[in-house]
Amino acid sequence: MTAIDEEAPEVREVSAPESSRLAARYGRTPEKKRRDRLIYLVAGAAAAIVVTAWVLWAGLDQAGATLDAEDKGSTIVNDREVSISFQVSMPVGKTASCALQVQNEAHGIVGWRIVSVPASTRYTTSYTHTVLSSEMGVTGLIYRCWLT
């Protein structure tokens, strides 16, 4: 034997128990893998439930109950009256209400009226209503419409 052979480091095989201790130390055990897989599965299922509930609530729940109102113009009748023309599109056979407003030069609301929109056999219908105001108005607008 030479001097070089005596100084060579000893090579030994790693036994299974030592390997499992290292795996446990660094979190690579079969139990950890099963627990992680279960956490990912539960989180994925929860996300799928939330997305499905949102689609049902936001998309399908309101699909048949749409209403659209559009201003068509206004005419100043006199110092205290404004005629407002508008168009309403809503499902056939449904009724609605619309809030109309008159605004002054500073865009302050000086007149207000809620009108009923009767059921119709057509999807889109046009209306004209006169709204009284407390002072000279410069425009008349739809504030909001809703199904009743």
Side-chain angles (χ1 to χ4, degrees):
M1 235 196 256
T2 64
I4 296 176
D5 289 337
E6 291 175 12
E7 294 177 12
E10 182 180 334
V11 177
R12 62 177 198 191
E13 274 188 40
V14 176
S15 63
E18 192 172 316
S19 175
S20 64
R21 281 184 286 171
L22 283 174
R25 177 186 290 174
Y26 295 108
R28 295 183 295 229
T29 62
E31 294 83 20
K32 171 98 167 88
K33 287 180 183 179
R34 279 192 294 269
R35 185 177 60 226
D36 287 350
R37 196 173 303 134
L38 180 64
I39 289 171
Y40 294 142
L41 184 65
V42 169
I49 289 169
V50 167
V51 167
T52 302
W54 180 81
V55 165
L56 290 174
W57 176 76
L60 302 178
D61 185 38
Q62 301 173 3
T66 59
L67 177 116
D68 185 38
E70 183 179 346
D71 288 307
K72 288 298 180 183
S74 62
T75 305
I76 309 302
V77 177
N78 58 40
D79 288 353
R80 302 281 186 226
E81 289 181 79
V82 175
S83 177
I84 302 171
S85 298
F86 60 99
Q87 180 174 304
V88 178
S89 300
M90 63 183 183
V92 173
K94 297 283 187 176
T95 60
S97 293
C98 291
L100 307 177
Q101 64 183 6
V102 176
Q103 294 181 357
N104 63 10
E105 287 182 353
H107 298 290
I109 298 170
V110 295
W112 184 271
R113 180 177 176 193
I114 296 179
V115 296
S116 295
V117 178
S120 175
T121 58
R122 295 184 308 161
Y123 181 74
T124 302
T125 51
S126 297
Y127 302 93
T128 300
H129 288 280
T130 301
V131 180
L132 300 176
S133 61
S134 60
E135 62 182 67
M136 178 71 172
V138 295
T139 190
L141 304 167
I142 298 172
Y143 173 69
R144 191 177 120 203
C145 291
W146 59 93
L147 291 172
T148 55

